[in-house]
Amino acid sequence: AVACPEVDILAHPGLITEADAKAAADNSVFLEITTRKGHSAANGHVASVALRSGAALLINTDAHAPGDLMDAEWARTVLAAAGLHAEEAKRAVKNAQNFLDKILG
C-alpha cells in the first residue's frame, strides 16, 4: 500500500517497519495515528517509526459508530500518548484537515 500511487493513507499501520515507513514518506502516503480502541495500541510505535523515517502522520478516528468520534481534546490526548510533542501533534491534526479539505474540494 505504501508504494501504490493510488493510496493516500495507510490506516492503523500497526507494527510498520522502517522500510515501509520510508516508502510511505517517499510516496507521500500518510501514516495514521488512530483514536480507535484496539487499533490505537501501536500508535507509539507508528509515531516513532514515522518520525525517524520522515513519513507524515495524521490523526483519524476510524469511526465505526458515533461513539468512536473524537473531539479536539481527545485528539490531543491520543497524540500525546503516542509520544508526539506539541508541534508534531499540531502537524498531524493539520495534515488531517488538509487531507479532508483536498478530498472535499
Side-chain angles (χ1 to χ4, degrees):
V2 294
C4 179
E6 302 300 318
V7 172
D8 295 306
I9 303 169
L10 181 60
H12 41 76
L15 299 177
I16 190 168
T17 65
E18 291 231 12
D20 286 341
K22 178 71 171 112
D26 292 344
N27 294 298
S28 301
V29 175
F30 290 106
L31 300 181
E32 177 194 57
I33 298 294
T34 182
T35 62
R36 179 121 173 104
K37 295 171 184 77
H39 293 251
S40 62
N43 280 346
H45 172 78
V46 172
S48 174
V49 170
L51 292 173
R52 286 195 307 269
S53 66
L57 295 165
L58 58 69
I59 183 96
N60 187 38
T61 64
D62 187 21
H64 292 224
D68 295 333
L69 297 174
M70 68 178 150
D71 60 16
E73 182 178 340
W74 183 242
R76 284 190 297 273
T77 298
V78 169
L79 291 164
L84 296 177
H85 297 291
E87 286 305 311
E88 295 160 343
K90 285 180 189 175
R91 193 172 316 115
V93 171
K94 184 71 171 162
N95 286 343
Q97 184 63 55
N98 289 344
F99 180 72
L100 182 60
D101 292 346
K102 174 186 166 188
I103 61 173
L104 292 177

